[in-house]
Short mmCIF file of all heavy atoms in Angstrom, two decimals:
data_model
loop_
_atom_site.label_atom_id
_atom_site.label_comp_id
_atom_site.label_asym_id
_atom_site.label_seq_id
_atom_site.Cartn_x
_atom_site.Cartn_y
_atom_site.Cartn_z
N LEU F 636 273.86 27.44 20.11
CA LEU F 636 274.97 28.13 20.78
C LEU F 636 274.57 28.60 22.17
O LEU F 636 275.38 28.55 23.11
CB LEU F 636 275.42 29.32 19.93
CG LEU F 636 276.07 28.98 18.58
CD1 LEU F 636 276.37 30.25 17.80
CD2 LEU F 636 277.34 28.16 18.78
N LEU F 637 273.31 29.05 22.32
CA LEU F 637 272.82 29.46 23.64
C LEU F 637 272.83 28.28 24.61
O LEU F 637 273.25 28.42 25.78
CB LEU F 637 271.41 30.03 23.52
CG LEU F 637 270.71 30.38 24.84
CD1 LEU F 637 271.47 31.49 25.57
CD2 LEU F 637 269.26 30.79 24.60
N MET F 638 272.39 27.12 24.13
CA MET F 638 272.40 25.93 24.99
C MET F 638 273.82 25.57 25.41
O MET F 638 274.08 25.24 26.58
CB MET F 638 271.75 24.75 24.24
CG MET F 638 270.25 24.94 23.99
SD MET F 638 269.59 23.75 22.81
CE MET F 638 269.66 22.22 23.76
N GLY F 639 274.77 25.66 24.47
CA GLY F 639 276.16 25.39 24.81
C GLY F 639 276.69 26.40 25.83
O GLY F 639 277.41 26.03 26.76
N LEU F 640 276.30 27.67 25.67
CA LEU F 640 276.77 28.72 26.59
C LEU F 640 276.27 28.48 28.01
O LEU F 640 277.06 28.57 28.97
CB LEU F 640 276.31 30.09 26.08
CG LEU F 640 276.64 31.28 26.98
CD1 LEU F 640 278.15 31.46 27.11
CD2 LEU F 640 276.01 32.57 26.43
N VAL F 641 274.98 28.19 28.18
CA VAL F 641 274.45 28.02 29.53
C VAL F 641 275.05 26.78 30.20
O VAL F 641 275.28 26.76 31.42
CB VAL F 641 272.91 27.97 29.54
CG1 VAL F 641 272.31 29.26 29.02
CG2 VAL F 641 272.36 26.77 28.77
N LEU F 642 275.33 25.75 29.40
CA LEU F 642 275.96 24.55 29.97
C LEU F 642 277.39 24.84 30.39
O LEU F 642 277.85 24.36 31.44
CB LEU F 642 275.94 23.41 28.95
CG LEU F 642 274.57 22.81 28.63
CD1 LEU F 642 274.68 21.72 27.56
CD2 LEU F 642 273.90 22.23 29.88
N MET F 643 278.11 25.64 29.61
CA MET F 643 279.48 25.98 29.98
C MET F 643 279.52 26.87 31.22
O MET F 643 280.42 26.74 32.06
CB MET F 643 280.19 26.68 28.80
CG MET F 643 280.44 25.75 27.62
SD MET F 643 281.36 26.52 26.27
CE MET F 643 283.03 26.48 26.93
N ILE F 644 278.54 27.76 31.35
CA ILE F 644 278.46 28.59 32.57
C ILE F 644 278.25 27.71 33.79
O ILE F 644 278.92 27.87 34.82
CB ILE F 644 277.32 29.63 32.43
CG1 ILE F 644 277.69 30.68 31.38
CG2 ILE F 644 277.03 30.29 33.78
CD1 ILE F 644 276.56 31.62 31.05
N MET F 645 277.33 26.75 33.68
CA MET F 645 277.07 25.86 34.81
C MET F 645 278.29 24.99 35.12
O MET F 645 278.64 24.78 36.29
CB MET F 645 275.85 24.99 34.51
CG MET F 645 275.50 24.00 35.63
SD MET F 645 275.32 24.79 37.26
CE MET F 645 273.88 25.82 36.99
N ASN F 646 278.97 24.51 34.08
CA ASN F 646 280.17 23.70 34.31
C ASN F 646 281.25 24.52 35.00
O ASN F 646 281.94 24.02 35.90
CB ASN F 646 280.69 23.17 32.97
CG ASN F 646 281.97 22.37 33.13
OD1 ASN F 646 281.99 21.31 33.74
ND2 ASN F 646 283.07 22.88 32.59
N ALA F 647 281.39 25.80 34.61
CA ALA F 647 282.40 26.66 35.23
C ALA F 647 282.09 26.88 36.71
O ALA F 647 282.99 26.86 37.57
CB ALA F 647 282.47 28.01 34.50
N VAL F 648 280.80 27.09 37.03
CA VAL F 648 280.40 27.30 38.42
C VAL F 648 280.68 26.05 39.25
O VAL F 648 281.26 26.12 40.35
CB VAL F 648 278.90 27.67 38.49
CG1 VAL F 648 278.42 27.67 39.95
CG2 VAL F 648 278.66 29.03 37.85
N ILE F 649 280.29 24.89 38.73
CA ILE F 649 280.50 23.64 39.46
C ILE F 649 281.99 23.32 39.57
O ILE F 649 282.46 22.84 40.61
CB ILE F 649 279.74 22.49 38.77
CG1 ILE F 649 278.24 22.74 38.83
CG2 ILE F 649 280.08 21.14 39.42
CD1 ILE F 649 277.40 21.71 38.06
N ALA F 650 282.76 23.60 38.50
CA ALA F 650 284.19 23.31 38.52
C ALA F 650 284.90 24.12 39.60
O ALA F 650 285.79 23.61 40.30
CB ALA F 650 284.79 23.64 37.14
N LYS F 651 284.49 25.38 39.75
CA LYS F 651 285.09 26.22 40.79
C LYS F 651 284.71 25.71 42.18
O LYS F 651 285.55 25.66 43.09
CB LYS F 651 284.65 27.67 40.60
CG LYS F 651 285.29 28.63 41.60
CD LYS F 651 284.88 30.07 41.32
CE LYS F 651 285.55 31.03 42.30
NZ LYS F 651 285.16 32.44 42.05
N LYS F 652 283.45 25.32 42.32
CA LYS F 652 282.96 24.86 43.62
C LYS F 652 283.63 23.54 44.03
O LYS F 652 283.97 23.35 45.20
CB LYS F 652 281.44 24.68 43.55
CG LYS F 652 280.80 24.24 44.84
CD LYS F 652 279.29 24.14 44.70
CE LYS F 652 278.63 23.66 45.99
NZ LYS F 652 277.15 23.52 45.84
N ARG F 653 283.82 22.63 43.07
CA ARG F 653 284.38 21.31 43.38
C ARG F 653 285.88 21.22 43.11
O ARG F 653 286.48 20.16 43.26
CB ARG F 653 283.65 20.23 42.57
CG ARG F 653 282.15 20.18 42.82
CD ARG F 653 281.53 18.99 42.10
NE ARG F 653 280.07 19.02 42.16
CZ ARG F 653 279.29 18.09 41.63
NH1 ARG F 653 279.82 17.04 41.00
NH2 ARG F 653 277.97 18.20 41.70
N ASN F 654 286.46 22.34 42.65
CA ASN F 654 287.90 22.39 42.37
C ASN F 654 288.32 21.32 41.36
O ASN F 654 289.27 20.57 41.56
CB ASN F 654 288.70 22.22 43.67
CG ASN F 654 290.15 22.66 43.51
OD1 ASN F 654 290.43 23.55 42.71
ND2 ASN F 654 291.04 22.03 44.24
N PHE F 655 287.62 21.27 40.24
CA PHE F 655 287.96 20.33 39.18
C PHE F 655 289.32 20.72 38.59
O PHE F 655 289.72 21.89 38.61
CB PHE F 655 286.91 20.34 38.07
CG PHE F 655 285.63 19.62 38.44
CD1 PHE F 655 284.44 19.97 37.85
CD2 PHE F 655 285.64 18.58 39.35
CE1 PHE F 655 283.26 19.31 38.17
CE2 PHE F 655 284.47 17.91 39.69
CZ PHE F 655 283.28 18.28 39.09
N PRO F 656 290.04 19.74 38.01
CA PRO F 656 291.38 20.02 37.46
C PRO F 656 291.34 20.77 36.14
O PRO F 656 290.31 20.81 35.46
CB PRO F 656 291.97 18.62 37.27
CG PRO F 656 290.77 17.75 37.02
CD PRO F 656 289.68 18.31 37.89
N THR F 657 292.47 21.36 35.79
CA THR F 657 292.66 21.94 34.45
C THR F 657 293.55 20.98 33.64
O THR F 657 294.26 20.15 34.21
CB THR F 657 293.34 23.31 34.52
OG1 THR F 657 294.60 23.16 35.19
CG2 THR F 657 292.48 24.29 35.29
N GLU F 658 293.51 21.11 32.33
CA GLU F 658 294.36 20.28 31.48
C GLU F 658 295.59 21.08 31.07
O GLU F 658 295.60 22.31 31.13
CB GLU F 658 293.58 19.84 30.22
CG GLU F 658 292.26 19.15 30.53
CD GLU F 658 292.42 17.97 31.46
OE1 GLU F 658 293.25 17.10 31.17
OE2 GLU F 658 291.71 17.92 32.49
N ALA F 659 296.61 20.36 30.67
CA ALA F 659 297.83 21.03 30.21
C ALA F 659 297.51 21.87 28.98
O ALA F 659 296.88 21.40 28.04
CB ALA F 659 298.90 19.99 29.88
N ALA F 660 297.94 23.13 29.02
CA ALA F 660 297.65 24.04 27.91
C ALA F 660 298.41 23.61 26.67
O ALA F 660 299.59 23.28 26.72
CB ALA F 660 298.04 25.46 28.30
N THR F 661 297.71 23.58 25.54
CA THR F 661 298.34 23.25 24.26
C THR F 661 299.17 24.44 23.80
O THR F 661 298.66 25.56 23.70
CB THR F 661 297.27 22.94 23.19
OG1 THR F 661 296.48 21.84 23.64
CG2 THR F 661 297.91 22.59 21.86
N PRO F 662 300.46 24.23 23.55
CA PRO F 662 301.30 25.34 23.08
C PRO F 662 300.73 25.95 21.80
O PRO F 662 300.21 25.23 20.93
CB PRO F 662 302.66 24.68 22.82
CG PRO F 662 302.65 23.43 23.64
CD PRO F 662 301.22 22.98 23.68
N PHE F 663 300.84 27.27 21.69
CA PHE F 663 300.31 27.94 20.51
C PHE F 663 301.00 27.46 19.23
O PHE F 663 300.42 27.50 18.15
CB PHE F 663 300.46 29.46 20.66
CG PHE F 663 299.48 30.05 21.64
CD1 PHE F 663 299.89 30.49 22.88
CD2 PHE F 663 298.13 30.15 21.30
CE1 PHE F 663 298.99 31.02 23.78
CE2 PHE F 663 297.22 30.70 22.20
CZ PHE F 663 297.64 31.13 23.45
N SER F 664 302.23 26.98 19.36
CA SER F 664 302.96 26.49 18.19
C SER F 664 302.31 25.23 17.60
O SER F 664 302.49 24.92 16.42
CB SER F 664 304.41 26.20 18.55
OG SER F 664 304.48 25.21 19.57
N GLN F 665 301.54 24.49 18.45
CA GLN F 665 300.90 23.27 17.97
C GLN F 665 299.47 23.50 17.46
O GLN F 665 298.87 22.61 16.87
CB GLN F 665 300.86 22.22 19.09
CG GLN F 665 302.23 21.73 19.52
CD GLN F 665 302.13 20.65 20.59
OE1 GLN F 665 301.08 20.02 20.76
NE2 GLN F 665 303.22 20.43 21.31
N MET F 666 298.93 24.70 17.71
CA MET F 666 297.55 24.97 17.31
C MET F 666 297.31 24.82 15.81
O MET F 666 296.30 24.25 15.40
CB MET F 666 297.14 26.36 17.78
CG MET F 666 296.84 26.45 19.26
SD MET F 666 295.43 25.45 19.77
CE MET F 666 294.09 26.25 18.90
N PRO F 667 298.22 25.30 14.95
CA PRO F 667 297.97 25.12 13.51
C PRO F 667 297.85 23.65 13.11
O PRO F 667 296.99 23.29 12.29
CB PRO F 667 299.20 25.78 12.85
CG PRO F 667 299.66 26.78 13.86
CD PRO F 667 299.40 26.16 15.19
N ARG F 668 298.69 22.77 13.69
CA ARG F 668 298.63 21.35 13.35
C ARG F 668 297.33 20.73 13.82
O ARG F 668 296.67 19.98 13.08
CB ARG F 668 299.82 20.60 13.98
CG ARG F 668 299.82 19.09 13.70
CD ARG F 668 301.00 18.42 14.39
NE ARG F 668 300.97 18.61 15.83
CZ ARG F 668 300.21 17.87 16.65
NH1 ARG F 668 299.41 16.92 16.17
NH2 ARG F 668 300.24 18.12 17.95
N VAL F 669 296.91 21.04 15.07
CA VAL F 669 295.67 20.50 15.61
C VAL F 669 294.47 20.99 14.80
O VAL F 669 293.56 20.22 14.49
CB VAL F 669 295.52 20.90 17.10
CG1 VAL F 669 294.16 20.46 17.63
CG2 VAL F 669 296.63 20.28 17.94
N THR F 670 294.51 22.27 14.45
CA THR F 670 293.41 22.84 13.66
C THR F 670 293.35 22.22 12.27
O THR F 670 292.27 21.91 11.76
CB THR F 670 293.57 24.36 13.54
OG1 THR F 670 293.64 24.92 14.85
CG2 THR F 670 292.38 24.98 12.79
#
């Protein structure tokens, strides 16, 4: 989990710097089906 956390922190930093795109938010009504 620590390895995943540090990688996500670095991805967030780079994403902000390079202005990476976001994905369309999944509606909360669909979360039960996806889960």
Side-chain angles (χ1 to χ4, degrees):
L636 293 176
L637 175 63
M638 293 167 70
L640 176 64
V641 299
L642 291 178
M643 291 184 77
I644 291 172
M645 179 52 66
N646 178 65
V648 171
I649 295 175
K651 183 177 181 180
K652 182 178 179 182
R653 301 187 188 181
N654 197 30
F655 285 153
T657 58
E658 306 305 308
T661 301
F663 286 107
S664 60
Q665 294 183 20
M666 284 297 295
R668 179 182 60 81
V669 174
T670 304

